[in-house]
Amino acid sequence: MSHFLDRWMKKRLKQRYPFQARHIELSLVASQDDAPIKLNRSLLDLSLKAVQAAAETHLKFNDVRNLRNPYVNCWPGENYRLLAGFVKVLQPLRIIEIGTEKGLGALTMQEVLPPGGKILTFDIFPWSAKESVITQADIDGGAVVPLQDDLSRPDVAARYAKELKEADFLFIDAAKDGVQERVFLENFRTVGLKKGAILFFDDIRLWNMLAIWREIQYPKLDLTGLGHWSGSGIVLWES
């Protein structure tokens, strides 16, 4: 949806919202019997374990670093504890994050990362450019590796082919512009991710992400009610 149309619709609908909230986005509900959705038992079992782990998790870095971020341990409603739940259950040694932003996702995963684990976090901006909560000590420790690069570019994805093929878990939290995530998926198919890798998509209920999420034909599961209010979905990579 264009920014103009988005603003116009929100203005027209503002007085008709059935309730008020801090942040409201437009979305749609749609039938699933005619969607190219695939679910297998292993993905369901994994999700149940991750949700249980999320319920038992309280992320400490927010308190220890005195970040005072009200969203880190808000669950359900935000995705950080669910993200931690998947890392706890999967115990991935190689994680790819696309969209570092301030670094809350990276710190979440770092807190529950298994020994020897590493997070490669990509962004088109330097890691310190957006009031980052990542510190130099995190980088020096070797678990968090910030990379200023654009994985939506085929040549960049090809350059990081080895790292992508080694990834057990990918957290995709980038532009959500209705284009970039499709390019990521195409680049992943070209490079060839590890069979069985888990992809965690943020914001799948936002307008620009609706078609992309529906088009994915790998086994997937919408976990929005147990994750981020704007949408959380996981995908099992099969090829």
Side-chain angles (χ1 to χ4, degrees), residues 96-99 122-125 147-160 164 170 172-191 212:
I96 297 286
E97 178 184 39
I98 305 178
F122 287 82
D123 205 295
I124 60 173
F125 299 104
L147 296 164
Q148 186 183 352
D149 241 329
D150 184 359
L151 284 179
S152 68
R153 289 175 46 185
D155 62 316
V156 174
R159 191 180 344 128
Y160 289 102
L164 287 166
L170 296 90
I172 302 167
D173 186 18
K176 278 86 72 171
D177 60 1
V179 176
Q180 195 176 60
E181 282 72 17
R182 281 195 182 91
V183 179
F184 288 144
L185 289 166
E186 182 59 35
N187 288 345
F188 296 161
R189 282 188 285 268
T190 300
V191 168
I212 292 169

Side-chain angles (χ1 to χ4, degrees), residues 103-115:
L104 289 172
L107 290 191
T108 292
M109 294 184 287
Q110 178 184 228
E111 184 167 319
V112 293
L113 198 64

Side-chain angles (χ1 to χ4, degrees), residues 25-234:
E25 292 283 347
L26 299 177
S27 190
L28 289 173
V29 293
S31 58
Q32 288 297 306
D33 59 283
D34 54 347
I37 186 170
K38 296 170 64 180
L39 174 64
N40 63 21
R41 183 56 188 263
S42 65
L43 192 62
L44 179 59
D45 289 345
L46 169 64
S47 299
L48 292 172
K49 292 175 183 176
V51 168
Q52 183 62 45
E56 297 169 352
T57 296
H58 179 87
L59 293 164
K60 299 175 183 177
F61 74 85
N62 192 50
D63 304 322
V64 170
R65 302 191 186 201
N66 198 28
L67 300 180
R68 300 181 182 179
N69 188 300
Y71 310 125
V72 168
N73 279 298
C74 175
W75 183 83
E78 297 292 329
N79 61 3
Y80 299 106
R81 284 172 58 178
L82 184 62
L83 185 61
F86 274 99
V87 175
K88 277 187 171 182
V89 172
L90 287 167
Q91 294 287 284
L93 291 178
R94 294 295 177 267
I95 295 175
I96 297 286
E97 178 184 39
I98 305 178
T100 309
E101 188 64 20
K102 294 182 179 180
L104 289 172
L107 290 191
T108 292
M109 294 184 287
Q110 178 184 228
E111 184 167 319
V112 293
L113 198 64
K118 184 174 292 188
I119 303 160
L120 305 183
T121 178
F122 287 82
D123 205 295
I124 60 173
F125 299 104
W127 68 270
S128 57
K130 294 189 175 183
E131 300 178 351
S132 179
V133 296
I134 297 172
T135 67
Q136 189 62 48
D138 297 317
I139 298 169
D140 293 342
V144 177
V145 181
L147 296 164
Q148 186 183 352
D149 241 329
D150 184 359
L151 284 179
S152 68
R153 289 175 46 185
D155 62 316
V156 174
R159 191 180 344 128
Y160 289 102
K162 179 178 181 293
E163 289 79 5
L164 287 166
K165 290 177 180 180
E166 291 176 346
D168 307 296
F169 185 71
L170 296 90
F171 177 40
I172 302 167
D173 186 18
K176 278 86 72 171
D177 60 1
V179 176
Q180 195 176 60
E181 282 72 17
R182 281 195 182 91
V183 179
F184 288 144
L185 289 166
E186 182 59 35
N187 288 345
F188 296 161
R189 282 188 285 268
T190 300
V191 168
L193 298 184
K194 179 188 296 185
K195 184 175 182 180
I198 297 296
L199 286 62
F200 187 121
F201 283 87
D202 191 26
D203 298 322
I204 63 170
R205 294 289 186 93
L206 295 185
W207 189 274
N208 286 338
M209 286 292 290
L210 294 174
I212 292 169
W213 177 254
R214 190 173 177 92
E215 292 166 6
I216 294 174
Q217 298 190 28
Y218 297 103
K220 60 185 177 181
L221 188 59
D222 183 337
L223 293 172
T224 299
L226 295 163
H228 200 177
W229 63 269
S230 57
S232 292
I234 62 163

